[in-house]
Amino acid sequence: MSDKEKSCAVHKTSIGGQAVMEGVMMRGPKEIATAVRKSNGEIIVDKRNVSSILTKYKFLKLPVLRGVISFFESMIVGVKCLMFSAEQVDLEDGEEYKPSKIEKWLDDKFGDKIKDIVIYFSVCVSLVFSVGLFILLPTFLVGWIKHFTQNSVMLSLCEGVVRILIFLVYLTLVSRMKDIQRVFEYHGAEHKTIAAYEHGEELTPENARKYSRLHPRCGTSFLLIVMVISIIFFSFLKWETLWQRILYRLLLLPVVAGLSYEIIKFAGRSTNKCVKWLTAPGLALQYLTTREPDDSQLEVAIEALKNVLTGNKEDDKW
């Protein structure tokens, strides 16, 4: 098959991933695999079955609702994979980890349940931080503009612009951190590996290297879509008191997230030129959240993907 033929024969897949510390997590319909490279060069793989409440209750698979469920489940899975990767990354100079008194007390108090507590606590903290920074803060700041205009559409538009600006500043600052840049390289490896798989390529670093590090189903694009959809939704709301605005936005947030999930899912499978044009800003934003990976990082991403494919009969042909 020629390169031109391969570029046309794109096999769209639902497999997605996430960069972790010195590794990549890949999630397929049936299995999740997290591959991490240790300091000695060895690649460790953690493989587990996908456990989703969506498989137990059919009504949860309704459009938008399934997006809300998938969003929360993805956050929980993401934290679990991050914890696994952190456990595998060796401390400098082989220093042994010594738990603090608080950690010892928590371990004695909760035993094996402590990991689940940490996971759900981390998810809650992440949600509170995200909602506070990207939803509540813009609402509070734009409240001052109410002295100049009472037009709710204009106020909502200004709020959306402020939200996007905060998001861009946040990503720019985070992308300058040395440790985060390393994670962003694995993020790029994840995208390149999935792209190579979608084009029917043999999964090797050489083949993955030639593909773009940008992907339409990336979480970065999802967040940007959430912000754009929120501008549209919130423009229909009256600009009431601060607490009313906060309450309405919190109530609508799951709907916004669910609808954004449907859009990003559709965009990931569509070849329509208009859809590509609409998703272009999200792709451009990935220049901040991805970096070009080296071959060793591509090897880790490939190892994670291969472990997912072995349990997916639909994809065995690749």
Side-chain angles (χ1 to χ4, degrees), residues 12 18 203 220 283:
K12 294 297 183 180
Q18 172 186 319
L203 294 177
T220 306
L283 289 174

Side-chain angles (χ1 to χ4, degrees), residues 117-137:
I117 294 173
V118 171
I119 288 169
Y120 287 103
F121 177 75
S122 300
V123 170
C124 290
V125 171
S126 299
L127 284 173
V128 170
F129 174 78
S130 300
V131 170
L133 183 61
F134 302 121
I135 300 296
L136 305 188
L137 180 59

Side-chain angles (χ1 to χ4, degrees), residues 60-72 222 225-227 229-230 233 250-266:
L60 293 179
K61 292 184 178 181
L62 292 172
V64 179
L65 182 57
R66 64 185 175 185
V68 177
I69 303 298
S70 296
F71 173 72
F72 285 106
F222 170 79
I225 291 174
V226 166
M227 294 185 183
I229 295 298
S230 67
F233 267 63
L250 290 177
L251 291 175
L252 276 176
L253 190 56
V255 179
V256 171
L259 183 58
S260 299
Y261 169 86
E262 299 298 333
I263 293 174
I264 200 76
K265 186 176 181 180
F266 172 76

Side-chain angles (χ1 to χ4, degrees), residues 256-290:
V256 171
L259 183 58
S260 299
Y261 169 86
E262 299 298 333
I263 293 174
I264 200 76
K265 186 176 181 180
F266 172 76
R269 293 181 175 275
S270 176
T271 57
N272 186 279
K273 289 184 178 180
C274 291
V275 173
K276 288 185 177 181
W277 181 78
L278 291 172
T279 56
L283 289 174
L285 200 58
Q286 291 175 40
Y287 282 109
L288 286 176
T289 61
T290 62

